[in-house]
Amino acid sequence: MNAHSSLRTAMKPIVVSNAVLARATEAIPSEADFPAVAPGSDYDTVRRILSYITNNWRQQPTIEAIADAAGATPTDVHHLFRRWCGLTPKAFLQAITLDNAKGLLASSASILDTSFEVGLSGPGRLHDLFVTHEAMSPGEWKTGGEGLRMSYGFHQSPFGEALVVVTERGLAGLGWVSNSLDGGKVVGGRAEALADMMRRWPHADYRFDPQSTAPYATRIFEPGSWSPQTPLRVVLIGTDFEVRVWETLLRIPVGCATTYGDVAGHIGKPSAARAVGAAVGKNPISFVVPCHRVIGKSGALTGYHWGLTRKRAILGWEAGQVAGGQAA
């Protein structure tokens, strides 16, 4: 794997007030209300592999060394990646190198201008989620979600356990239950993941309702269900500037990437790359609003709210979807 400068996964964690964390902890049902998950999921192994590579890339570890670190055989690792993302381990690692990231940026500016059509993915985006979106009014955002009912549930995904938050108008939040191998700004259990969402809209009414959120999880994480005939409804809740940035992110097709500077230029604020970076970091709808496809102008992956390990996993998984044409 090529050397690059964005291998650190540690980030300054989000500080959530004790009151918000206590509220989130109280809102989490008992463990008995969650389906049992078999240990050793694909993502658990991928996470260990990426963590090992992150810390040992200078040694250019062999597949045997990587497999040993993951507690598996080379054959198991090969089959794992084929099953998980459709790529060989070597192809997956190539997909998350600096050289490949630079290639993704080759046409990043023009991508933002040509790949989007009035709320739906453009005709060439065969591997995209096909999203239609609306933004809540500034007044609704300023009230911190007061009077807004938010249903939430935890669901398995290719990238670990996901927190899905929906309103009657569509998907409003998607986060992750992260551990120290993921890194990022939210490390802990389900309560910490929920508290991260609650702090964004502190006055909303949160209800545990996995039956309402399960169809969204299926729609998001199963490429076979990505269809322009049934676009995923998303509601964006943020400042006017943040919403403009998030809308721009929706223009980035799977298998492509852009820079903070190009996003700033696209929204008519060419000198606001740093402010764009802050807005990207506040994106509450991971994966669907693809903040993971924004990288540094050098090709470095830079920070990610849910951790650089997960960002690499998502980018590599998406490379597999594009290569295999599974959503075409």
Side-chain angles (χ1 to χ4, degrees), residues 72-146:
T73 68
T75 299
D76 288 340
V77 170
H78 181 85
H79 289 315
L80 161 72
F81 277 92
R82 280 292 194 185
R83 179 174 66 247
W84 181 71
C85 68
L87 297 175
T88 65
K90 181 178 179 180
F92 175 85
L93 296 178
Q94 288 175 339
I96 60 173
T97 60
L98 178 63
D99 287 344
N100 187 67
K102 288 179 177 178
L104 296 180
L105 291 176
S107 58
S108 64
S110 62
I111 282 172
L112 296 179
D113 294 325
T114 61
S115 65
F116 203 58
E117 287 189 5
V118 197
L120 290 178
S121 298
R125 296 169 65 184
L126 298 179
H127 309 279
D128 217 337
L129 265 166
F130 298 102
V131 170
T132 184
H133 71 278
E134 65 173 299
M136 285 198 166
S137 71
E140 289 173 305
W141 171 78
K142 287 179 180 178
T143 63
E146 185 174 358

Side-chain angles (χ1 to χ4, degrees), residues 37-46 48 80 83:
V37 178
S41 71
D42 284 352
Y43 180 67
D44 285 339
T45 306
V46 168
R48 291 197 298 274
L80 161 72
R83 179 174 66 247

Side-chain angles (χ1 to χ4, degrees), residues 11-44:
M11 295 179 68
K12 186 176 181 180
I14 289 291
V15 178
V16 178
S17 72
N18 290 335
V20 173
L21 184 56
R23 182 186 176 199
T25 300
E26 185 177 354
I28 300 294
S30 68
E31 195 68 29
D33 291 317
F34 293 92
V37 178
S41 71
D42 284 352
Y43 180 67
D44 285 339

Side-chain angles (χ1 to χ4, degrees), residues 200-275:
R200 301 167 187 268
W201 313 293
H203 303 304
D205 176 21
Y206 292 85
R207 307 283 182 89
F208 180 67
D209 187 1
Q211 288 187 328
S212 294
T213 55
Y216 283 86
T218 299
R219 176 68 178 77
I220 293 166
F221 296 119
E222 293 187 6
S225 66
W226 298 356
S227 167
Q229 282 73 45
T230 56
L232 178 68
R233 292 187 301 123
V234 169
V235 56
L236 304 177
I237 310 173
T239 67
D240 179 65
F241 181 81
E242 288 169 350
V243 168
R244 289 174 65 194
V245 169
W246 301 339
E247 287 176 331
T248 302
L249 301 186
L250 286 169
R251 299 172 183 255
I252 311 170
V254 175
C256 297
T258 193
T259 68
Y260 301 97
D262 281 338
V263 173
H266 182 81
I267 64 175
K269 303 282 187 179
S271 62
R274 181 166 295 185

